[in-house]
């Protein structure tokens, strides 16, 4: 299997016991983001220093030396049309997802400013709804902004709506170049390590 070993902070005191390893499965956006967050969290706890973060994956972004020039359909992050589109939180599950969305929006906002090369672009989202859920009217634009973390919400006037459309919404959102973003995440997760070749075309960083 392919794998990268993530951050190994200062070695713990000798106890005769090997430090633990946290394994993340998959080198897509979710897997690589988890690896980075784990690296940062472990570095903040002196008693956990020395813990390694290892990503195990079958396929890798193109930034890995020797990675395949094309990817299988199973490597979803290489094919994703990734943009941030909020969905009305009309159920318990969607309310949980709205909380995750708000955290994601805050992180994308930070990265777009601090790391403009990472593949995240600010853009305007426009939605035309022929049968809008009543939730839109209940929450209103300020409620949708508070719920999603996205800014700039406005209701489009009738003059801006195509024929047959009942409601139009506009807001500030993000578009993600998924392959570029995965390459950025992998470089970031692996920034303290050295890439070396693995066996049978696999890649290991350690």
């Amino acid at each position: 299997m392919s794998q990268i070993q993530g951050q190994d902070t200062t070695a713990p005191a000798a106890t005769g016991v090997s430090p633990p390893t946290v394994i993340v499965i998959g080198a897509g956006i979710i897997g690589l983001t988890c690896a980075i967050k784990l690296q940062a969290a472990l570095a903040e706890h002196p008693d956990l220093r020395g813990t390694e973060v290892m990503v195990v994956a079958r396929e890798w972004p193109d930034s890995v030396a020797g990675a395949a020039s094309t990817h299988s359909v199973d490597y979803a992050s290489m094919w994703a049309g990734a943009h941030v589109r909020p969905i009305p939180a009309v159920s318990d599950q969607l309310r949980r997802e709205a909380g995750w969305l708000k955290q994601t929006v805050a992180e994308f906002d930070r990265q777009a400013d601090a790391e403009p090369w990472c593949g995240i672009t600010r853009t305007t989202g426009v939605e035309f709804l022929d049968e809008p859920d009543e939730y839109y009217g209940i929450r209103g634009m300020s409620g949708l902004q508070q719920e999603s973390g996205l800014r700039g919400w406005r209701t489009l006037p009738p003059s801006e709506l195509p024929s047959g459309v009942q409601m139009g919404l506009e807001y500030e959102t993000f578009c993600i170049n998924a392959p570029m973003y995965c390459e950025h995440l992998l470089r970031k997760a692996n920034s303290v390590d050295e890439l070396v070749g693995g066996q049978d075309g696999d890649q290991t960083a350690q």
Side-chain angles (χ1 to χ4, degrees):
M1 295 292 286
S2 302
Q3 58 187 21
I4 67 167
Q5 252 179 307
Q7 182 175 358
D8 182 2
T9 54
T10 55
T15 61
V17 178
S18 299
T21 299
V22 180
I23 297 177
V24 177
I25 307 296
I29 290 176
I30 294 175
L32 293 172
T33 299
C34 287
I36 291 169
K37 294 297 184 182
L38 283 168
Q39 288 174 330
L42 290 169
E44 293 177 357
H45 296 277
D47 56 330
L48 296 177
R49 288 180 179 171
T51 301
E52 294 178 342
V53 176
M54 178 180 294
V55 178
V56 178
R58 182 173 59 186
E59 297 186 76
W60 296 95
D62 292 338
S63 55
V64 172
S69 57
T70 59
H71 301 287
S72 75
V73 295
D74 295 325
Y75 193 7
S77 289
M78 291 298 104
W79 305 94
H83 64 283
V84 177
R85 179 184 179 270
I87 298 175
V90 295
S91 67
D92 289 342
Q93 176 62 28
L94 289 176
R95 279 188 284 274
R96 285 192 293 270
E97 293 179 12
W100 302 336
L101 171 65
K102 193 168 186 177
Q103 292 179 339
T104 299
V105 165
E107 180 65 12
F108 282 169
D109 200 35
R110 183 196 67 77
Q111 290 184 54
D113 287 336
E115 303 164 321
W117 55 83
C118 71
I120 296 174
T121 304
R122 288 189 173 88
T123 189
T124 300
V126 179
E127 297 191 25
F128 296 124
L129 308 171
D130 53 3
E131 295 183 1
D133 191 285
E134 63 180 7
Y135 184 85
Y136 288 104
I138 295 172
R139 290 293 287 165
M141 296 301 99
S142 61
L144 290 169
Q145 177 167 320
Q146 181 181 15
E147 183 176 277
S148 67
L150 297 169
R151 299 184 291 267
W153 283 85
R154 75 180 183 99
T155 303
L156 299 180
S159 60
E160 297 183 34
L161 299 180
S163 176
V165 170
Q166 297 299 312
M167 175 180 282
L169 303 171
E170 183 179 282
Y171 49 88
E172 299 172 13
T173 187
F174 301 92
C175 184
I176 300 90
N177 181 325
M180 181 184 296
Y181 189 53
C182 281
E183 291 183 14
H184 167 73
L185 292 175
L186 182 58
R187 287 192 297 269
K188 192 169 183 178
N190 206 39
S191 61
V192 297
D193 298 308
E194 178 184 0
L195 271 174
V196 299
Q199 296 181 350
D200 300 326
D202 290 344
Q203 297 296 321
T204 304
Q206 55 188 356

